[in-house]
């Protein structure tokens, strides 16, 4: 069987483990060739650090795509995350149009917000732009804050929503993208946290929960979405993929918490890769 290939389109945050420094090792470890389009190079991610450098690579995106087009490359997946500007969002829409074929699964993590708040670097009109890109997703992977912003609905804080609320949100997100949805940060009980999955073809919602580990660790959304991407491209159902990704992410967070690491420094997903590969039946 031929090896699967994806294009991962994110920034490189040189320190702090998120975006490409997470996507590349995780998806590669899962046996998938991971081509990259770096959208920017930062000294660190923007979550909790000040004074970080930011080298914008917007001008390089389309020349990379156009060169790839001359090579007749086929992609089984296109996976996008953090995008730094309106222009980048538009260029990634064009990139998907150029690189996607019938076999390509488009996975979009609309990175822009958490805990009820838009990240400070984005303007209030950014979510509308991101919502347009999300229409191209076969699998959309937002958290609850991003879901609310994409749908222009009030954010539902934990403890204020029911299962019916979540399932309504899943359906509206699926209508937005005409695809499947994995919604992260869902909790119906204080000691459990996880993801809700909606497959458009069955119209059914499923859940994957794990024991909650207190503390907000940076980059966990990228670890999760990279793991979902890895599992789906290895042939697992979306619900199975979400369960594998929830377990992998939670194990990495627990290991990091036990080590007492600064929450800005990212999670120790590297030492959970052997268990992740076992869950994927690759080891
Ligand atoms: O983890 C998402 C992410 C990716 N890249 C950059 C970020 C963030 C979140 O803040 O700042 C540069």
């Amino acid at each position: 069987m031929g090896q699967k290939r994806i294009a991962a389109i994110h920034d490189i945050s040189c320190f702090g483990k998120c975006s490409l420094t997470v996507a590349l090792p995780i998806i590669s470890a899962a046996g998938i060739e991971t081509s990259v389009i770096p959208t920017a190079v930062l000294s660190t991610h923007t979550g909790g650090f000040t004074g970080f450098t930011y080298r914008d690579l917007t001008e390089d995106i389309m020349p990379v795509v156009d060169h790839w087009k001359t090579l007749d490359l086929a992609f089984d997946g296109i996976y996008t995350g953090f995008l730094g500007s309106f222009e980048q969002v538009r260029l990634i829409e064009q990139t998907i149009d150029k690189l996607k074929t019938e076999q390509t699964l488009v996975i979009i993590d609309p990175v822009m917000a958490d805990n009820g708040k838009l990240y400070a670097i984005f303007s209030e009109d950014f979510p509308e732009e991101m919502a347009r890109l999300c229409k191209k997703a076969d699998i959309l992977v937002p958290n609850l804050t991003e879901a609310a912003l994409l749908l222009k609905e009030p954010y539902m804080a934990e403890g204020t929503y029911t299962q019916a609320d979540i399932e309504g949100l899943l359906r509206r997100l699926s209508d937005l993208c005409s695809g499947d949805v994995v919604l992260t940060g869902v909790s119906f009980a204080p000691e459990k946290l996880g993801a809700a999955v909606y497959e458009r073809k069955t119209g059914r919602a499923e859940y994957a929960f794990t024991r909650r580990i207190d503390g907000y660790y940076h980059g966990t959304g990228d670890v999760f979405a990279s793991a979902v991407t890895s599992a789906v491209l290895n042939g697992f159902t979306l619900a199975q993929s979400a369960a594998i990704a929830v377990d992998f992410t939670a194990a990495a967070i627990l290991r990091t918490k036990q080590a007492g690491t600064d929450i800005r420094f990212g999670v120790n997903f590297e030492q959970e890769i052997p268990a992740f590969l076992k869950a994927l039946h690759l080891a």
Side-chain angles (χ1 to χ4, degrees):
M1 241 178 55
Q3 189 185 15
K4 295 253 169 101
R5 173 191 291 133
I6 78 151
I9 308 174
H10 308 248
D11 65 281
I12 298 177
S13 290
C14 297
F15 177 77
K17 290 198 271 188
C18 67
S19 41
L20 272 186
T21 66
V22 164
L24 187 50
I26 291 174
I27 301 169
S28 295
I32 297 153
E33 179 183 342
T34 310
S35 334
V36 300
I37 304 183
T39 54
V41 179
L42 296 81
S43 51
T44 66
H45 58 73
T46 65
F49 294 108
T50 53
F52 48 83
T53 68
Y54 193 115
R55 167 86 52 199
D56 184 75
L57 297 177
T58 302
E59 278 179 25
D60 293 321
I61 294 173
M62 220 29 93
V64 170
V65 174
D66 289 337
H67 182 220
W68 285 3
K69 284 300 282 182
T70 69
L71 302 175
D72 247 349
L73 302 175
F75 291 94
D76 301 286
I78 299 173
Y79 164 40
T80 78
F82 179 94
L83 297 170
S85 65
F86 282 53
E87 191 184 353
Q88 285 199 345
V89 175
R90 293 214 181 97
L91 282 171
I92 300 315
E93 285 179 81
Q94 292 167 25
T95 296
I96 292 169
D97 290 342
K98 287 189 181 190
L99 297 182
K100 185 181 158 93
T101 65
E102 266 180 21
Q103 77 188 58
T104 314
L105 211 54
V106 176
I107 299 131
I108 298 183
D109 181 353
V111 176
M112 59 184 169
D114 208 354
N115 275 318
K117 282 210 286 288
L118 190 65
Y119 292 143
I121 49 164
F122 294 121
S123 61
E124 293 295 319
D125 43 0
F126 188 77
E128 202 167 326
E129 198 71 10
M130 188 56 104
R132 230 194 31 242
L133 174 65
C134 288
K135 289 187 196 301
K136 296 196 182 289
D138 297 305
I139 304 174
L140 185 62
V141 193
N143 61 33
L144 275 165
T145 309
E146 290 154 352
L149 288 167
L150 289 173
L151 296 170
K152 298 187 177 174
E153 295 179 9
Y155 168 63
M156 296 190 292
E158 213 175 296
T160 69
Y161 53 77
T162 62
Q163 198 167 324
D165 292 330
I166 293 298
E167 291 176 14
L169 199 58
L170 289 171
R171 272 190 290 275
R172 293 191 293 283
L173 289 164
S174 175
D175 286 343
L176 174 76
C177 66
S178 308
D180 298 337
V181 179
V182 183
L183 180 65
T184 62
V186 174
S187 176
F188 299 118
E191 71 286 359
K192 291 211 181 294
L193 183 65
V197 176
Y198 183 84
E199 275 195 275
R200 199 162 174 83
K201 68 172 186 287
T202 61
R204 252 209 348 261
E206 290 177 81
Y207 295 88
F209 290 114
T210 183
R211 185 165 69 85
R212 180 196 297 272
I213 305 143
D214 283 329
Y216 173 82
Y217 284 84
H218 201 91
T220 52
D222 298 338
V223 171
F224 178 84
S226 300
V228 169
T229 300
S230 302
V232 167
L233 286 180
N234 271 293
F236 289 87
T237 68
L238 196 57
Q240 289 169 335
S241 300
I244 290 168
V246 162
D247 289 344
F248 175 49
T249 309
I253 295 171
L254 184 60
R255 192 182 270 277
T256 309
K257 189 179 172 86
Q258 285 167 346
T261 310
D262 187 321
I263 61 164
R264 299 174 301 172
F265 290 8
V267 292
N268 182 350
F269 69 87
E270 295 92 335
Q271 291 184 293
E272 289 299 330
I273 283 180
F276 174 57
L277 297 188
K278 282 204 188 97
L280 292 176
H281 307 156
L282 294 174

